[in-house]
Amino acid sequence: MRRSSIRDGRLHAAVLVLLLVFALVADGVVRRGGSAEERRAADDGAKVSTDAAAAADTGDGEIGPDPAVAVDADRLAAAAVDDLSSYWAATFEPTFALPWPALAGGLHAADGVADVGTRAPPCLARTAEIAGTAYYCESADALVWDRGVLLPMLAEEHGLAGVTVVLAHEFGHRVHTRLGVDEARRRAEPERLPGWLTEAMADCYAGSYFRWSVDGGGRSAFGGGEVDDALTALTRFRDAVTDGEEPARSHGSALDRVLAFHEGYAQGARRCAALTIEDLPSTSDRRDVPTPRPSTGPPAHDVGGYFAELAIRHGGTGLPPEVRTTAETPDCGAGQGPVAYCAAENAVVLGIGVEDGLTAVTDRIGDHAAATLVASRHALAAVARLGLPIDDADTGRRTVCLLGAWSTGEAVGHASGPEEESAPAADAEGATRAAEPGTQANGQAAGRTAKNGPGQPGRAAEAPRWDAKAVDEAVLLLLADDRPARNVAGLAPESSGRGRVLDFASGRRAGPTECLRS
């Protein structure tokens, strides 16, 4: 059994524990037994229930979803199941030459609080354990989801697309099970079929469904923006990360999940069935994990310094941009946002304290997301120094791709050159504390420069060694926000969240040279 569970929450831990204890006591003591799958389900359910219940805080002191939202979630779940059933009925047998029978164990929507004391859903020992989860129960051939917390949260925050992608993922587990990648085979071949691979397969099958819907199949008729909504919902269920540590790979990182979804979206269900561990290397391998450090974003000198050195190495001319701050939205940015590259002045200008600015990004996602937004303007400056267009339809692709190259931690050196100052710093909140509004900086930090004299070898600028948490933050920013992809005119033509993440992944995979191909 594979499960999705809520990772975001708002209730204090004490309240969550009380909620869980109430549910378990009311549900009675149940003797452990049954299959290994059922015992594992009980363990997993108990572990995730407190996280799940956190999403039940309505913000007014009441615990539990708004009844109207819960009713709407039931309606959306019915629509999603109907569409997914139609897709697999039309797709599975023609693609795999195998039958696609109805679910023998049926569909089960349960509420971990309201349904306490009733018979537990398949693969669970107690009804309370359903809180915050959705899963395919292989032993019963049943699909199960939480209608009390999980689906109302998805419906309220991500709409039909959010509800559908979670159920599509669970349908995906049924698909790979019917194709022979079942629990028995996974136990027999753990190296070849680790749990994270079957999670990627399920994400991939979800992607194949969404492409069918976008292309006009079924009734949901999703558009590109709703695909981004689905991916934002899917990435909520990424692997937990501790700063400076390699995560235990289970469902995958945010980037893992987007890339697996895209495999199915771009190539269809047959591709998903063929996935192997070689096709999906971890996007947070050990190379990216530095010595543990506080969650303070990338090293200060890297945000501008990497892109300044990159421009030199690739034949760019001119000086790196100066950095200055202002108390307002940059007036030279033409809609670029709270951070702008002002080409006429060769300056990166940061608006400190502006509405929906760097502080808001830090609060919503994290300090590395804010630093990534700042870095995108330094990347745009590097593109300008290289003589490439900074106002065309490909500008966003180049810029975001360079962010991906930056994220790998590979150093960028350059040959000897004229005396030059390095680009200025950005700190843990994307340089929001780099200087007071109105000040200027044009060194590695205020009052500090790094120069290369004539004939002296250039100093290599190392990009930050991003850990998995940092990569997650960048991906979440790119999914939801087109500002890192905006050109000098403040436009991001034909930019989608999925496309931006793919451009970022391309830079991580192929490096800056590929990004700069015109």
Side-chain angles (χ1 to χ4, degrees):
M1 184 191 73
R2 302 296 176 204
R3 310 169 65 112
S4 300
S5 61
I6 292 177
R7 303 187 65 255
D8 298 332
R10 293 173 289 183
L11 283 184
H12 293 299
V15 177
L16 302 181
V17 171
L18 286 173
L19 176 64
L20 179 60
V21 169
F22 166 78
L24 292 176
V25 170
D27 213 18
V29 177
V30 180
R31 181 176 301 170
R32 286 176 61 87
S35 68
E37 182 184 13
E38 290 168 335
R39 291 194 299 271
R40 185 165 58 254
D43 291 339
D44 290 346
K47 178 176 67 177
V48 302
S49 291
T50 52
D51 293 332
D57 182 9
T58 61
D60 58 5
E62 297 295 326
I63 296 175
D66 184 320
V69 175
V71 170
D72 190 52
D74 287 338
R75 179 182 62 80
L76 296 182
V81 167
D82 181 66
D83 225 33
L84 286 161
S85 298
S86 296
Y87 170 66
W88 286 113
T91 302
F92 189 86
E93 186 168 358
T95 303
F96 301 114
L98 291 169
W100 179 257
L103 285 158
L107 303 165
H108 300 261
D111 186 322
V113 175
D115 295 340
V116 164
T118 63
R119 182 176 180 178
C123 281
L124 292 183
R126 301 174 178 88
T127 303
E129 294 163 1
I130 189 63
T133 68
Y135 61 91
Y136 170 65
C137 176
E138 179 182 324
S139 60
D141 188 30
L143 198 68
V144 186
W145 64 87
D146 168 28
R147 66 174 298 274
V149 174
L150 176 63
L151 260 61
M153 179 276 292
L154 291 168
E156 184 172 19
E157 299 188 19
H158 307 287
L160 177 60
V163 171
T164 301
V165 75
V166 167
L167 296 179
H169 174 92
E170 303 310 333
F171 265 88
H173 282 306
R174 188 188 192 224
V175 173
H176 71 66
T177 297
R178 294 204 61 81
L179 292 175
V181 183
D182 56 12
E183 184 180 7
R185 186 175 172 195
R186 291 195 300 271
R187 285 201 307 266
E189 304 178 66
E191 297 298 323
R192 185 167 176 265
L193 295 170
W196 63 259
L197 179 59
T198 55
E199 295 301 330
M201 287 178 174
D203 287 343
C204 183
Y205 288 124
S208 72
Y209 159 77
F210 270 86
R211 180 58 178 267
W212 174 77
S213 179
V214 168
D215 287 346
R219 297 181 178 180
S220 295
F222 290 117
E226 290 165 307
V227 173
D228 288 348
D229 290 339
L231 286 171
T232 300
L234 191 65
T235 56
R236 293 188 72 152
F237 309 102
R238 62 193 181 275
D239 291 339
V241 176
T242 300
D243 285 321
E245 296 182 8
E246 184 179 16
R249 196 173 185 188
S250 174
H251 281 71
S253 68
L255 185 54
D256 289 331
R257 305 209 71 169
V258 173
L259 294 180
F261 179 100
H262 177 71
E263 290 289 310
Y265 190 89
Q267 301 184 59
R270 193 182 303 276
R271 170 58 179 153
C272 306
L275 287 177
T276 67
I277 56 176
E278 288 77 20
D279 295 322
L280 298 168
S282 175
T283 56
S284 56
D285 58 35
R286 292 184 184 277
R287 176 187 63 179
D288 296 335
V289 182
T291 301
R293 58 171 174 78
S295 179
T296 54
H301 63 282
D302 289 317
V303 174
Y306 173 84
F307 297 102
E309 299 285 359
L310 181 145
I312 292 292
R313 178 167 182 169
H314 289 268
T317 60
L319 294 172
E322 70 173 10
V323 171
R324 67 171 185 266
T325 61
T326 177
E328 302 173 344
T329 299
D331 58 9
C332 63
Q336 291 180 50
V339 187
Y341 171 58
C342 304
E345 306 167 34
N346 190 30
V348 171
V349 181
L350 291 78
I352 305 302
V354 301
E355 185 177 358
D356 197 25
L358 296 170
T359 299
V361 171
T362 299
D363 292 343
R364 186 169 65 249
I365 303 175
D367 53 6
H368 204 96
T372 299
L373 182 54
V374 174
S376 74
R377 301 304 86 187
H378 285 280
L380 186 61
V383 172
R385 292 180 68 191
L386 290 166
L388 295 171
I390 56 174
D391 59 357
D392 68 355
D394 283 333
T395 298
R397 177 194 62 79
R398 294 189 195 100
T399 301
V400 175
C401 183
L402 288 175
L403 292 176
W406 175 56
S407 77
T408 63
E410 298 295 331
V412 176
H414 61 78
S416 59
E419 181 172 290
E420 179 183 16
E421 294 179 334
S422 296
D427 73 0
E429 293 188 2
T432 57
R433 296 189 300 268
E436 293 300 318
T439 62
Q440 297 185 5
N442 197 18
Q444 199 165 343
R448 182 160 52 111
T449 62
K451 300 181 179 181
N452 298 314
Q456 294 179 329
R459 188 169 49 84
E462 290 189 2
R465 299 184 64 196
W466 291 30
D467 60 17
K469 181 176 183 292
V471 176
D472 276 352
E473 288 186 14
V475 169
L476 297 178
L477 175 72
L478 294 169
L479 272 177
D481 197 331
D482 73 352
R483 291 179 294 186
R486 291 182 188 175
N487 62 24
V488 74
L491 303 175
E494 301 180 9
S495 179
S496 69
R498 182 176 59 89
R500 291 188 293 272
V501 174
L502 294 177
D503 290 337
F504 178 83
S506 177
R508 283 179 62 83
R509 180 182 65 253
T513 300
E514 186 65 28
C515 301
L516 296 170
R517 294 187 189 279
S518 53

